[in-house]
Amino acid sequence: MNIYKSGEDYLETILILSLRNGNVRSVDIAHELGFKKSSVSVAMKNLRLNEYIKVDENGYITLTESGSEIARKIYERHTILTDFLSSLGVDKDIAAEDACKIEHDLSNESFEALKKFITNHPV
């Protein structure tokens, strides 16, 4: 599961949009992230070639099993870190921004320890 931060962000966004809207197209991703459609198109091509997503004949994007695994991992990290920082009194928007920075670089060992701590010490 070797993928760049930007790829993880795209997969997480696809997951979030699919949960929110059901169907996801490149234009939806571009709108959600504030990126140009051409940039998203290049990213989708790379994700498709690496078998993280599938694109059907109508342009709808779905996560493959490996893409879904990465997206769910990043989304869980983002959610838990955002909630934790917010519970410490950090503004919700700042907490979400900081969580996005942390979620990609935090080791599995540190994240699991933090998740265990949060579970055992709810704020």
Side-chain angles (χ1 to χ4, degrees):
M1 236 184 347
N2 198 10
I3 188 170
Y4 293 104
K5 175 190 176 303
S6 61
E8 291 176 341
D9 285 338
Y10 278 113
L11 294 174
E12 180 185 21
T13 300
I14 293 166
L15 174 65
I16 291 167
L17 289 171
S18 67
L19 293 171
R20 186 186 312 153
N21 305 333
N23 295 320
V24 180
R25 297 170 298 145
S26 289
V27 67
D28 303 320
I29 298 166
H31 184 268
E32 182 76 11
L33 296 174
F35 294 167
K36 292 180 181 177
K37 287 189 281 184
S38 58
S39 298
V40 173
S41 179
V42 169
M44 293 306 104
K45 178 181 177 187
N46 289 332
L47 291 173
R48 186 176 43 77
L49 291 174
N50 286 292
E51 299 181 353
Y52 293 119
I53 65 167
K54 292 182 181 179
V55 182
D56 72 14
E57 62 279 353
N58 296 314
Y60 291 110
I61 300 165
T62 55
L63 296 167
T64 62
E65 187 175 326
S66 60
S68 181
E69 182 180 334
I70 294 168
R72 290 184 187 287
K73 172 188 158 194
I74 295 300
Y75 185 63
E76 176 190 36
R77 286 172 171 242
H78 184 90
T79 303
I80 288 174
L81 290 166
T82 299
D83 291 347
F84 178 65
L85 294 171
S86 292
S87 74
L88 296 175
V90 176
D91 175 82
K92 187 176 179 172
D93 291 335
I94 293 171
E97 281 182 37
D98 288 345
C100 193
K101 295 171 190 171
I102 298 168
E103 68 195 16
H104 302 285
D105 294 324
L106 192 63
S107 71
N108 285 333
E109 181 179 354
S110 292
F111 177 72
E112 290 302 323
L114 181 61
K115 190 165 78 170
K116 182 178 178 182
F117 176 82
I118 292 167
T119 301
N120 293 328
H121 302 89
V123 179

